[in-house]
Amino acid sequence: MTKENLKEAALFTNIVYRLDYPGDKISQIRNKFYWVSGILLGIVFLMSIGSQILSHHNIFWIDTSVHSLLESYCGIISIIIAYIIYREYKSSGKRSNLFLFLGFFSMGIFDFFHAYSNYCVTLFVWFHSLSAFSGGAFFLWSAISVKSSTKDPPWLRHVFILSGITITMVSAVAISSFPSFLPGAVMIDLSHHTPVTFPIRGEFTGYLVVVNILSSIFFLFSGLKFLRYFKVTNDVLFHIFSTSAFLFFTSEFLFAFSILWDASWWYWHIIKLIIFVGLIFGLAHGLTRTFNELHEARRKLIGTVEELRHAYENLKDTQEGLLEAEKLASIGKMAATIAHEIRNPLGAISNSIGIFKRHKELVDEDRELMDIVENEIGRLNGIITDFLNYAKPPPINKSLTDINILLDETLLFFSNNGNVSSIRIHKHLDSALPLVFIDRNAVKQCLWNIFINAIQAMPSGGTLTVRTQCPTRTEGNAHCDDVSIIIRDSGTGMTEETLPRAFHPFYSTKAKGTGLGLAIVERIIRQHGGHVSLSSKEGEGTEVEITIPVNHGRNVVGEGAEDVVNIDSR
């Protein structure tokens, strides 16, 4: 099996605990792990020699309470580890995780029964041996299955888990209920119900020796397998289980030749405690590292999603711009034809009407009809002009302009050319505004269109408020990057259905409207790098805010007064 395939067949999939270092350092880090494991195994070996010396001096200690406490603790940790591995198996479906789960679960259950079977020597010893045997067998089975790419489907995972739990529990209860069927545990003649508190120091029977020797062999080969996987994949979990398997091997081998309650027998429990403490800390560290990496991955993913969202919005705006440009190009192709085919006849009709109106014999009724025709010709000419301005806008010709002066002159021209006698105009102009680099005629057209809409929205009179300001100016920052023009009327306002469509070309709620006024405003302001916002409520008026950058598109322009361009009335 290749190194890449073995990495794909790692023991766990959700717990990420591999050595991530540059190539020149990975071998050094791996060697440190080997040294730590070797030192630990050496300490265990030296302790085993000490336990043998103490055992030969007939030193033994009978204390079932301490024993039950140690085994209960190991059983609890074993069940916790089994649960962690169960979550892994449920997520990944890897068969090696299933066997590892069954190994720790069976050890935990048999350890609990072993801890509290003090009423019977046979059960006491056999539950210990069955715990080690089942753990070793499943350890080896898991190590052999690591390189298998088989993944159990979800329904089969539930079946395997429930079957394993059921078989283990039923077996433990059945053995505890019928101890008489078990072979003898120690090499002295005892009743099956002899309590372990009786000072018994008999050696274990051949059955127990064979079972424990087999257990130690299982752990030895599984440790070698896990060690090989660690060398190939750098997955520290393989190293943790490898070291644990070697420690189990040492303790089980010594246990097989120990005597009940002597120093070697107690030594097994010390090693077992070391193993389970190391396992729980190793898995806890692996989970912590995984959570940290998942948190970092989630943070990066959120950033990526945010970037994709912005990219999508930009792409959407670009697409809308392209569609708008394509639509304008199509309209522009028709514009010249429309102007030629309609304006020429209109001009001829208008000249003819002028000639007819000069006839002295023309009665008043005919003259009134001529005026109506002349007005309608002017309206048609205005519609064509709006259409051409939207479809084929003239080139932008920018210069430094005083927005306040532009507003004053536009309002003056507006008040002298419209029916605004019933309109009160309030101005609040910021005198500290900088000069703005704009096309004065194009912006004046925008203001004119907005004022016309405001007058039409107030047929019975009202208030028109015009305000200028610098939205980016604060107390600590006097610099002004943008200039805002806010125009508010007290007219009829817009409905919720009309407001989002106000800037759509050819959309109008007026009987004689072309629906191009605000569309032209939005296009011109966008050409200046600015934006237009609209807020309105039915019956309470409408507010239009135009925001324009001060120096959009300006390369090198002098800052003298000669750069200010006077505005011609329109």
Side-chain angles (χ1 to χ4, degrees), residues 204-232:
F204 298 125
T205 61
Y207 298 107
L208 267 299
V209 173
V210 171
V211 170
N212 284 278
I213 290 295
L214 285 175
S215 302
S216 64
I217 293 174
F218 293 157
F219 281 120
L220 175 61
F221 279 100
S222 61
L224 293 172
K225 278 280 189 181
F226 286 136
L227 186 62
R228 175 178 174 270
Y229 297 149
F230 168 67
K231 183 178 179 181
V232 175

Side-chain angles (χ1 to χ4, degrees), residues 71-92:
E71 290 291 353
S72 298
Y73 177 76
C74 292
I76 291 172
I77 296 181
S78 186
I79 295 297
I80 292 174
I81 296 173
Y83 177 74
I84 294 173
I85 299 171
Y86 155 73
R87 300 292 299 183
E88 280 288 326
Y89 175 63
K90 185 178 179 181
S91 159
S92 66

Side-chain angles (χ1 to χ4, degrees), residues 370-384:
M370 295 294 179
D371 290 338
I372 293 174
V373 171
E374 196 170 37
N375 289 334
E376 290 301 312
I377 291 173
R379 191 174 71 83
L380 287 174
N381 189 62
I383 292 174
I384 294 172

